[in-house]
């Protein structure tokens, strides 16, 4: 009913949700950066796959590279 009265609320809620998702992604990258600095690529990949069941080694290696290159603002 609120959406029917104020259609902009749905868009604002969606934008807020997207912002929280992006903040979560950046937070995860910061955490993974610390791990990537302290672990070999192989150990990082192994730990990533334990923490993210169903993930592939390819995805884990990509995350390792992203984490190593991540520069927080």
């Amino acid at each position: 009913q609120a959406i029917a009265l104020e259609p902009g609320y749905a868009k604002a809620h969606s934008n807020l949700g997207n912002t929280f998702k992006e903040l979560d992604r950046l937070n995860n990258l910061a955490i993974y950066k610390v791990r990537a600095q302290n672990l070999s690529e192989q150990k990082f990949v192994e730990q990533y796959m334990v923490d993210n069941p169903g993930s592939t080694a390819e995805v884990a290696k990509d995350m390792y590279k992203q984490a190593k290159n991540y520069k927080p603002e």
Side-chain angles (χ1 to χ4, degrees), residues 25-35 70 72:
R25 186 186 75 80
L26 293 174
N27 185 47
N28 286 342
L29 264 176
I31 292 167
Y32 289 139
K33 180 169 183 68
V34 172
R35 286 185 186 173
Y70 176 62

Side-chain angles (χ1 to χ4, degrees), residues 13-46:
H13 189 268
S14 176
N15 289 344
L16 185 59
N18 290 338
T19 299
F20 284 135
K21 285 179 188 174
E22 179 64 10
L23 287 172
D24 188 45
R25 186 186 75 80
L26 293 174
N27 185 47
N28 286 342
L29 264 176
I31 292 167
Y32 289 139
K33 180 169 183 68
V34 172
R35 286 185 186 173
Q37 290 173 331
N38 294 314
L39 299 174
S40 67
E41 181 176 1
Q42 180 180 347
K43 291 291 183 187
F44 179 95
V45 168
E46 290 170 4

Side-chain angles (χ1 to χ4, degrees), residues 42-68:
Q42 180 180 347
K43 291 291 183 187
F44 179 95
V45 168
E46 290 170 4
Q47 187 61 49
Y48 184 88
M49 293 178 71
V50 167
D51 293 343
N52 298 279
S55 186
T56 65
E58 185 176 312
V59 169
K61 287 179 183 179
D62 183 55
M63 182 54 69
Y64 178 81
K65 290 174 188 166
Q66 286 183 51
K68 290 288 273 191

